[in-house]
Amino acid sequence: MPDACESTAHPPGRRQSRRQTVIGLAVFAVLAAIALGLYSTQSRFNPAVLNFLQGAAVGANPSASAAALLDLPEGLSPLSPAERFDRETLSDKIDGKAELYLSAGFIRLDSQRIALAGRPQDWIEVFVYDMGSGTNAYAVFSQQRRGDGTPLEIAEFAYRAENAVFLTHGRFYLELVASGTESRLLESLESLARSFVAQRPIARTAIAERELFPREGLAEASIRLIPADAFGAAGLDRVFTATYAAGAGEMTAFLSRRESPQAAADLARSYVDFLRAYGGEVSPGDTPVDGTAVIAILDMVEVVFALGPFLAGVHEAPSREMALELAGRLAARLKEAPRVP
Amino acid sequence: MRIVTARRASQLFFFALFLWFCVAATLGERFWQLRGWPVNWLLDLDPLAGIATLLSTRTLYAGLLWGLATLALTVVLGRVFCGWICPFGAMHQFIGFLARRTRRLAVQVELNRFRPAQAVKYYLLAFFLAAALLLPREWMSSGSVQIGLLDPLCLAHRSVNLILLPLADRAGLGLAPLPRFYEGAGLIGAVFLCALLLNLWLPRFYCRFVCPLGALLGILSRFALWRIGRTEEGCTDCRRCERSCEGACTPTARIRIGECVMCLNCLDECRHDAIAYRTRPSAAGEALLPDLSRRGFVASAVSGLLAAPVLRLGGGAGPNWNAGLIRPPGALAEEDFLARCIKCGQCMRVCPTNVIHPAGLESGIEGLWTPKLNFRVGTSGCQHTCIACGHLCPTAAIRPISLEERTGRGGSAGRRPLRVGTAFVDRGRCLPWAMDKPCIVCQENCPVSPKAIFTREVFNPVRTGAPLAVTGTDGARLVLASAALEAHRFGTGDYHALLPGGLRLRIASNSADALDLERPLGGEEPPAPGSPVSILVRLQQPYVDPKQCIGCGVCEHECPVLGLRAIHVTAENESRSPHHRMVL
Amino acid sequence: MSPEALVNRREFIGRAAKAGAVLLAGGGIAALARDPSGPGPAAPEPAASGLPDFALPDAGRKLCIVRSADRVRSLTLALQALGGIEAFVKRGDRVLIKVNAAFASPPLLSATTHPDLVSELTRLCLKAGAAAVRVTDNPINDPASAFALSGIGQAARSAGAELLLPEERFFRPLSLKDARLIRSWPVLLGPFAGVTKLIGVAPVKDHHRSGASMAMKNWYGLLGGRRNIFHQDIHTIIAELAWMVKPTLVVLDGTTSMMTNGPTGGSLADLKETHTLIAGTDQVAVDACGATLLGKTAADLPFIAKAAELGAGTADYRSLSPIEVAG
């Protein structure tokens, strides 16, 4: 019988096969839709996974629990337990950068990852540095100032970079770094920052030295406080610097309030010696303030003087004229400065 | 494209999906881990799970609603689930296909002959559904879901989760950081292998003779709008259609609609356009189901109805409960648990520490392959901030609990944490209790705060053979009369010297004939030459505080007495059973 | 259309209708039974919140101490002194007598309420016009043997009372408001159905765990479940029981007191003929008075002070001006 079958065999009719093809394709479409549907669910994490990602610190330490470093605004929840680092352990968290903070009076760092509710792949890491004083906080803030930041009015010193917000608030220096650049995430950055500031009302501490720089030609965002070893010179600590336009290039004015006029004069002398030791040559001439040293070093001009309790001067100016001009303006401002801070 | 190509694609798709879901049932956020994947979807699609739990609890839990979709599919199109979706069926079909492809047509047709034994699965279905039926509690204890034993989705999930994936891991797949073990894997593997190998004898053996889901869908397909059947003309009785008939439903003769698994191989094979899938019944006639004897049906139903009540006379869920059976956190009380567990093994798969294992007979035969905790096996105890198992259970036999409920924080003040049992110290085996060896590993690892294990300090004399006597002192050194000590043995910080007058000082180090104390004697009188000195070992002996203990088993897992652990968790005080309360 | 096609069409429509019906039924059942969130934590059954107050509002706090070697006579004298049984049981009342039938122990060993008191009290209540008298307890030993061997069962029945053994269905969960221990605990509530008066009758016994077992501890026999767990906080549970149960009258039989080895005793050497019966409406005062028979004071029995604190009565029984009768 099988042989008889085979001799009369013919393939199924065309209409039959077209119907089968259509149905077959429809089935493929359904399978594809199922696959897509299933794939779309995979980003809504199972509560067990969300809990798993929060880490096991919850049970061990009830008070630290999933309690956040700050009161979190709506829509944000902690993703990992809060961590604390002191002077010994800071480098465990930020490695080599620890030096910057340690030299500026660092006391403690509290950090935590905060995620957008239900989206643990979008998180913000909050770093709260307790620097001990507003000046110290300003020091680390200003030293890491990214040039391309947009100033924010959340705090006296605050700006936003592409995926982060930086600010100082009293003795705290805050860094909020987002894991991505999604807009919701960036909004959360600012609301977190506002939340932090709002929870800790403080009197705004003015940093008087900032006002002492002459305004003209000053790149506003360039004022920096270098807590130690400014310009590579040991002993030059607590130095404020500001950048000025100098023709096509730039130059830096600096000032530092010392304990006494004598201390300022001594420091000026030792800095000059330092420059001379590195090949600087004193260049005599008229200077705005008695005792000003003008030193040419490595194609640049340095001006150093002491005025009252201030050590001040110009650093890396392209020419003597520009350096002295700026120095003069600076000296004028310093003369008007209140003697008592 | 032939329709069977679409069918094969669909089978492949669902088989791959099934494997993917099994792999993805791992806690984590990587792409191959759980994330939000609906890993229970195939189990949810299984209407037998939904119907059985509906009978036993009078509720239909969450995702089991998907069973309606399969029901609708079957009622309208026939047993498409069996032929196109079921991954277990696909496995059987594939093995059967490999086994028979080289054989002659006549043999192949003979293998696919309808056999009356195909009625057995209907009796099995009747048995399981009757066993699941919840009678009014005052009548008798009932409502035992046992479909998990033979349901194809449950069996397949269990076998892949507990047998294939651990084997694949060891062979290099490396999903789990440490190789996973599962108690009783032998029996589970044997059943799985047996089911698959039976296809070497008859194709789709399991589907035809055993599968209760197939029986259910077979019954439901009686009103199918479209059905396979012979056309009025064209058939030459060549029997080619039966060469690959998966359901053994005899499409040439009076087709048994309930047995047809919609593989459409007959349609594909027929050279004469004599087989069609159409709204008209087969021209050769239809039989809806195999001949079922009423007596057989009654026998199965009655045995099913009596199964749970009779088994529970043993008191296993009552006064004779097994304290060695520790259920996962969030599990319901035993009778309610047995009314829901479908033995799918998802909880065992997702448990991050590999402490959930399939039970043997600890809870009687009803509890076979239901989850229980074994703290000796696994990477740690039951992590007390983990809530994974309940969030993966498709039937809520293990409830999905929140972290607050698990740890007892949040919510109403004074709420206690969830307990799965209580640890008991076996003082006859514990090192500081019975062997004079310092150890407090259990106390160190207890995860709750305040700890559920506390210690009391005792000083026990160390046997040093002959009594020791001091001949003199030299600063912090006590020189002894004989040189009988093992050098450095007493320098671990746990040993103290007891001097005459009751002064006890820690021994920093020792040599064969001298003890170096932690400090010189200072103002105290040095012992007279010849006076006795003894060595004491400081032991911290562990006690369990039952008010704090949650039974997480980390202590048992860490206990260095590796055989029978010196601290062992049993189910007293478990939250799920108020009757098992041990302390107020 | 050909007749064949018509038949096919009708058959198809019939099948389609049945298919639709099956789907509808399935969908309907699924919709009704849907449970998206699953079972919650072991939700306790809705619990009763307490027992009715059986104390007579105008009876006041009264106490009577009778010294006699004949307990039935003591009972009669005591009731007379308190105003007669009619002062407590009125026509039509349904009275529940809560006895101590804890052990399958013969009356001679004084571990249980003496059957003579049970039958006399029943007789008096029925004489005063009670519509029914019930006798109950949840013994520690097997109930049937306990009621039989202690003689209480026979005494109750022969006097015309209904004996209610503790069946599973009589226990229902009860949560006493603001109590710490009696929370959703099975209590023998069944026998209380329709009851209007409650009388407790208990012997004076030493108790190894609590110091003494007298009128207040008698209510322990209303607890079900694994009640042994309360031994971990015995004085609080007795106090909460005294707070929960507000009887019409309690009778404390110290005619023969068990001085040692309580609550089971087991030897005549444990007993002493103290020949005193105390009856009253303030169970704390009754127990404080009964303590003296055991050579103890209220201060030796912490549950007395705890019960007084909870407002169940006063420990200073003398302040109630007890009526002392020598019989």
Side-chain angles (χ1 to χ4, degrees):
Chain A
M1 220 165 24
D3 298 336
C5 203
E6 258 151 313
S7 59
T8 57
H10 58 78
R14 268 184 64 208
R15 207 186 58 143
Q16 189 84 299
S17 85
R18 176 131 49 98
R19 177 139 48 114
Q20 289 194 12
T21 308
V22 167
I23 296 177
L25 289 174
V27 167
F28 280 135
V30 168
L31 294 180
I34 291 175
L36 242 93
L38 293 171
Y39 183 77
S40 70
T41 64
Q42 57 86 30
S43 57
R44 253 178 293 125
F45 283 23
N46 189 301
V49 177
L50 289 173
N51 176 66
F52 173 75
L53 292 175
Q54 273 195 18
V58 176
N61 191 347
S63 54
S65 78
L69 217 43
L70 346 147
D71 286 337
L72 296 177
E74 270 267 9
L76 296 175
S77 57
L79 184 62
S80 64
E83 299 174 297
R84 173 162 283 196
F85 302 90
D86 58 21
R87 292 188 68 90
E88 271 89 54
T89 53
L90 181 61
S91 49
D92 296 342
K93 180 70 176 171
I94 59 174
D95 201 42
K97 228 170 98 174
E99 192 44 46
L100 171 67
Y101 298 90
L102 290 172
S103 62
F106 169 83
I107 295 176
R108 177 170 52 243
L109 164 64
D110 286 307
S111 73
Q112 187 174 34
R113 283 207 182 93
I114 315 275
L116 296 186
R119 295 174 57 83
Q121 68 272 42
D122 293 332
W123 45 261
I124 295 168
E125 190 156 17
V126 178
F127 297 84
V128 180
Y129 292 90
D130 180 349
M131 300 304 299
S133 76
T135 317
N136 290 345
Y138 181 74
V140 293
F141 168 82
S142 59
Q143 289 202 284
Q144 296 174 75
R145 187 68 188 254
R146 276 86 176 158
D148 56 345
T150 327
L152 296 171
E153 69 330 318
I154 304 172
E156 188 178 6
F157 305 111
Y159 69 94
R160 203 242 299 256
E162 195 187 334
N163 71 330
V165 164
F166 304 89
L167 63 96
T168 69
H169 184 64
R171 47 196 266 232
F172 296 104
Y173 168 62
L174 211 69
E175 280 182 13
L176 300 123
V177 183
S179 65
T181 50
E182 204 230 0
S183 61
R184 235 179 353 142
L185 207 46
L186 299 181
E187 278 158 29
S188 303
L189 275 181
E190 287 197 34
S191 62
L192 259 181
R194 268 177 238 281
S195 180
F196 180 84
V197 169
Q199 284 160 35
R200 291 168 184 69
I202 49 137
R204 285 263 178 112
T205 51
I207 300 192
E209 285 88 335
R210 285 169 46 93
E211 308 309 318
L212 296 173
F213 285 106
R215 293 351 267 184
E216 205 189 295
L218 168 66
E220 184 62 46
S222 69
I223 300 180
R224 251 180 192 90
L225 169 58
I226 302 178
D229 295 337
F231 313 139
L236 273 187
D237 59 355
R238 291 176 283 123
V239 175
F240 281 85
T241 64
T243 314
Y244 287 82
E250 289 181 340
M251 54 184 171
T252 304
F254 65 90
L255 63 91
S256 175
R257 186 189 282 275
R258 313 311 300 178
E259 300 79 31
S260 65
Q262 183 60 40
D266 289 338
L267 189 57
R269 212 169 305 127
S270 73
Y271 182 45
V272 169
D273 289 338
F274 167 84
L275 289 172
R276 296 233 299 263
Y278 279 89
E281 281 173 23
V282 181
S283 143
D286 280 328
T287 57
V289 176
D290 284 336
T292 307
V294 182
I295 299 148
I297 183 169
L298 302 172
D299 294 341
M300 302 282 205
V301 179
E302 305 278 326
V303 176
V304 185
F305 61 91
L307 187 62
F310 291 100
L311 165 74
V314 178
H315 173 66
E316 286 181 359
S319 77
R320 188 198 162 91
E321 288 72 34
M322 290 196 230
L324 283 174
E325 190 268 328
L326 184 54
R329 286 196 282 142
L330 181 58
R333 289 294 291 255
L334 288 178
K335 280 204 189 93
E336 295 155 20
R339 292 286 141 160
V340 181
Chain B
M1 179 183 17
R2 290 146 58 207
I3 193 68
V4 289
T5 311
R7 188 210 80 218
R8 288 179 191 138
S10 175
Q11 285 180 301
L12 198 63
F13 173 79
F14 282 101
F15 182 69
L17 193 65
F18 162 65
L19 287 182
W20 176 252
F21 282 158
C22 285
V23 166
T26 310
L27 213 51
E29 57 172 343
R30 313 263 300 280
F31 76 92
W32 56 271
Q33 293 179 323
L34 184 56
R35 297 176 62 91
W37 290 108
V39 294
N40 284 335
W41 191 53
L42 289 171
L43 287 165
D44 286 337
L45 280 176
D46 179 354
L48 192 55
I51 290 176
T53 51
L54 186 62
L55 288 172
S56 64
T57 65
R58 300 185 187 143
T59 62
L60 191 65
Y61 174 64
L64 292 172
L65 199 60
W66 274 105
L68 262 186
T70 310
L71 228 86
L73 194 68
T74 310
V75 166
V76 173
L77 296 178
R79 281 173 70 175
V80 182
F81 185 89
C82 299
W84 293 54
I85 300 177
C86 181
F88 201 38
M91 286 189 234
H92 293 303
Q93 181 164 343
F94 185 63
I95 295 178
F97 162 74
L98 289 179
R100 65 163 191 242
R101 42 200 256 275
T102 50
R103 312 182 81 166
R104 294 180 301 127
L105 174 67
V107 173
Q108 290 184 356
V109 167
E110 164 61 18
L111 289 175
N112 293 333
R113 175 175 64 82
F114 172 78
R115 286 167 172 78
Q118 283 171 232
V120 169
K121 58 182 187 288
Y122 294 91
Y123 299 134
L124 284 173
L125 178 70
F127 176 84
F128 286 131
L129 290 182
L133 188 63
L134 178 69
L135 301 170
R137 277 270 150 81
E138 305 83 63
W139 292 12
M140 52 175 105
S141 182
S142 59
S144 177
V145 166
Q146 297 300 318
I147 55 133
L149 295 170
L150 291 178
D151 176 284
L153 273 315
C154 302
L155 202 157
H157 276 81
R158 181 170 64 239
S159 308
V160 171
N161 283 341
L162 308 183
I163 308 291
L164 291 186
L165 283 181
L167 283 179
D169 256 0
R170 283 170 175 71
L173 188 57
L175 294 173
L178 282 175
R180 292 179 78 110
F181 290 88
Y182 292 106
E183 245 187 89
L187 184 60
I188 297 172
V191 168
F192 184 56
L193 203 59
C194 200
L196 290 180
L197 291 180
L198 280 168
N199 295 305
L200 300 178
W201 174 24
L202 289 173
R204 281 220 184 210
F205 186 97
Y206 195 90
C207 307
R208 294 177 191 176
F209 299 103
V210 183
C211 185
L213 177 60
L216 176 69
L217 297 180
I219 294 171
L220 287 171
S221 64
R222 52 179 37 215
F223 302 129
L225 302 186
W226 285 270
R227 45 241 276 131
I228 290 286
R230 234 189 58 189
T231 55
E232 285 68 24
E233 297 159 4
C235 179
T236 59
D237 262 331
C238 70
R239 314 294 285 290
R240 226 196 187 83
C241 54
E242 293 182 3
R243 168 207 289 226
S244 315
C245 173
E246 294 290 328
C249 52
T250 55
T252 34
R254 217 161 151 254
I255 183 172
R256 284 165 178 81
I257 288 297
E259 296 298 298
C260 170
V261 297
M262 289 295 295
C263 64
L264 304 181
N265 282 343
C266 50
L267 203 139
D268 190 59
E269 288 274 359
C270 182
R271 299 280 198 255
H272 305 99
D273 280 345
I275 298 276
Y277 181 54
R278 55 188 196 164
T279 55
R280 265 172 296 166
S282 174
E286 278 182 2
L288 290 176
L289 291 176
D291 291 321
L292 299 176
S293 85
R294 179 169 307 169
R295 256 179 284 173
F297 175 77
V298 166
S300 340
V302 168
S303 341
L305 217 57
L306 287 177
V310 169
L311 285 170
R312 291 194 189 159
L313 288 176
N320 199 23
W321 60 285
N322 184 347
L325 176 72
I326 303 168
R327 293 263 189 226
L332 302 177
E334 195 61 12
E335 284 198 7
D336 298 319
F337 183 84
L338 293 173
R340 285 179 183 256
C341 180
I342 55 173
K343 311 171 204 272
C344 62
Q346 295 282 71
C347 53
M348 301 168 204
R349 170 102 186 103
V350 82
C351 175
T353 51
N354 192 203
V355 290
I356 306 184
H357 293 256
L361 297 177
E362 288 90 336
S363 186
I365 191 133
E366 283 182 88
L368 186 66
W369 299 335
T370 56
K372 65 147 200 200
L373 300 188
N374 179 338
F375 299 119
R376 287 177 70 216
V377 180
T379 57
S380 182
C382 173
Q383 301 301 103
H384 97 295
T385 52
C386 174
I387 51 172
C389 46
H391 284 271
L392 232 71
C393 180
T395 55
I398 307 174
R399 287 186 293 123
I401 54 179
S402 65
L403 185 65
E404 284 76 36
E405 186 183 344
R406 175 96 208 250
T407 53
R409 291 179 226 299
S412 46
R415 181 125 66 104
R416 304 252 280 271
L418 203 72
R419 294 184 303 274
V420 297
T422 307
F424 291 83
V425 177
D426 185 342
R427 296 186 183 178
R429 300 181 70 83
C430 174
L431 295 178
W433 278 104
M435 316 239 176
D436 274 358
K437 292 216 76 54
C439 171
I440 46 159
V441 175
C442 54
Q443 189 256 13
E444 287 165 10
N445 281 283
C446 181
V448 294
S449 174
K451 285 191 193 272
I453 300 178
F454 61 96
T455 60
R456 293 204 171 104
E457 190 183 65
V458 299
F459 288 88
N460 282 356
V462 173
R463 296 172 307 141
T464 51
L468 303 173
V470 180
T471 54
T473 55
D474 173 15
R477 170 168 292 208
L478 281 180
V479 183
L480 303 171
S482 54
L485 298 179
E486 196 186 309
H488 306 301
R489 177 178 162 201
F490 301 112
T492 61
D494 299 303
Y495 294 92
H496 296 245
L498 184 64
L499 300 167
L503 178 64
R504 189 179 66 210
L505 286 173
R506 193 200 307 264
I507 299 172
S509 161
N510 75 292
S511 58
D513 62 351
L515 298 174
D516 290 309
L517 303 173
E518 60 178 338
R519 62 165 175 83
L521 285 169
E524 297 100 346
E525 275 233 11
S531 52
V533 64
S534 55
I535 299 179
L536 303 175
V537 61
R538 173 180 173 267
L539 298 167
Q540 289 166 291
Q541 295 179 328
Y543 292 74
V544 175
D545 179 353
K547 282 219 152 69
Q548 299 295 332
C549 181
I550 57 172
C552 72
V554 176
C555 54
E556 180 174 344
H557 186 266
E558 300 303 321
C559 178
V561 182
L562 292 173
L564 289 177
R565 304 281 159 119
I567 184 164
H568 181 62
V569 179
T570 47
E572 283 85 353
N573 238 12
E574 54 179 355
S575 301
R576 72 181 182 122
S577 306
H579 307 288
H580 300 172
R581 222 165 93 185
M582 188 178 77
V583 286
L584 281 178
Chain C
M1 196 177 291
S2 69
E4 207 183 76
L6 264 171
V7 167
N8 281 331
R9 150 107 47 113
R10 204 176 306 139
E11 194 266 336
F12 173 75
I13 291 175
R15 225 184 320 127
K18 287 184 202 139
V22 169
L23 283 178
L24 220 63
I29 295 174
L32 283 171
R34 266 202 77 200
D35 177 20
S37 55
E45 294 168 56
S49 57
L51 281 171
D53 185 345
F54 295 104
L56 291 171
D58 38 353
R61 292 184 200 251
K62 294 196 282 215
L63 190 73
C64 175
I65 307 170
V66 180
R67 314 248 179 231
S68 165
D70 178 344
R71 53 172 56 83
V72 175
R73 183 169 158 70
S74 299
L75 179 64
T76 314
L77 290 173
L79 286 172
Q80 268 174 13
L82 291 172
I85 189 69
E86 310 75 32
F88 299 100
V89 177
K90 306 278 190 276
R91 173 159 297 279
D93 266 335
R94 304 183 90 83
V95 182
L96 179 63
I97 300 178
K98 165 66 178 73
V99 296
N100 178 340
F103 304 104
S105 175
L108 186 63
L109 292 178
S110 278
T112 50
T113 304
H114 201 283
D116 290 348
L117 286 180
V118 178
S119 50
E120 180 62 13
L121 195 55
T122 305
R123 197 185 63 77
L124 288 170
C125 289
L126 289 172
K127 200 169 107 184
V133 177
R134 279 189 195 145
V135 171
T136 195
D137 186 20
N138 182 18
I140 295 172
N141 293 154
D142 163 61
S145 359
F147 277 109
L149 261 76
S150 62
I152 295 174
Q154 172 63 14
R157 272 186 292 251
S158 59
E162 183 193 358
L163 178 68
L164 283 182
L165 291 178
E167 291 172 42
E168 172 101 34
R169 62 195 171 100
F170 287 156
F171 289 91
R172 284 195 283 286
L174 191 148
S175 280
L176 194 60
K177 185 168 164 352
D178 295 333
R180 195 166 50 81
L181 299 177
I182 305 182
R183 302 221 58 82
S184 200
W185 195 267
V187 173
L188 185 60
L189 294 177
F192 282 87
V195 160
T196 50
K197 296 281 158 57
L198 174 65
I199 302 178
V201 187
V204 173
K205 299 197 292 183
D206 163 64
H207 193 284
H208 213 209
R209 183 83 185 91
S210 59
S213 171
M214 299 182 285
M216 289 193 277
K217 178 89 174 35
N218 189 24
W219 310 125
Y220 208 100
L222 290 176
L223 295 175
R226 315 276 322 164
R227 55 188 169 171
N228 284 339
I229 208 176
F230 293 124
H231 274 68
Q232 296 172 23
D233 202 348
I234 193 73
H235 297 289
T236 308
I237 190 65
I238 298 175
E240 287 190 7
L241 284 166
W243 186 22
M244 177 176 92
V245 186
K246 300 171 185 56
T248 315
L249 180 69
V250 289
V251 176
L252 185 59
D253 178 19
T255 310
T256 308
S257 299
M258 184 187 293
M259 305 300 289
T260 56
N261 290 323
T264 49
S267 161
L268 289 172
D270 297 324
L271 308 176
K272 179 169 163 200
E273 300 293 321
T274 41
H275 291 168
T276 308
L277 184 130
I278 307 161
T281 52
D282 180 334
Q283 56 184 318
V284 185
V286 166
D287 268 11
C289 181
T292 60
L293 299 178
L294 294 171
K296 300 181 179 175
T297 66
D300 297 322
L301 303 170
F303 61 83
I304 293 187
K306 279 187 193 275
E309 257 173 73
L310 288 176
T314 175
D316 181 5
Y317 69 94
R318 294 233 168 271
S319 70
L320 301 184
S321 312
I323 307 161
E324 304 208 36
V325 180

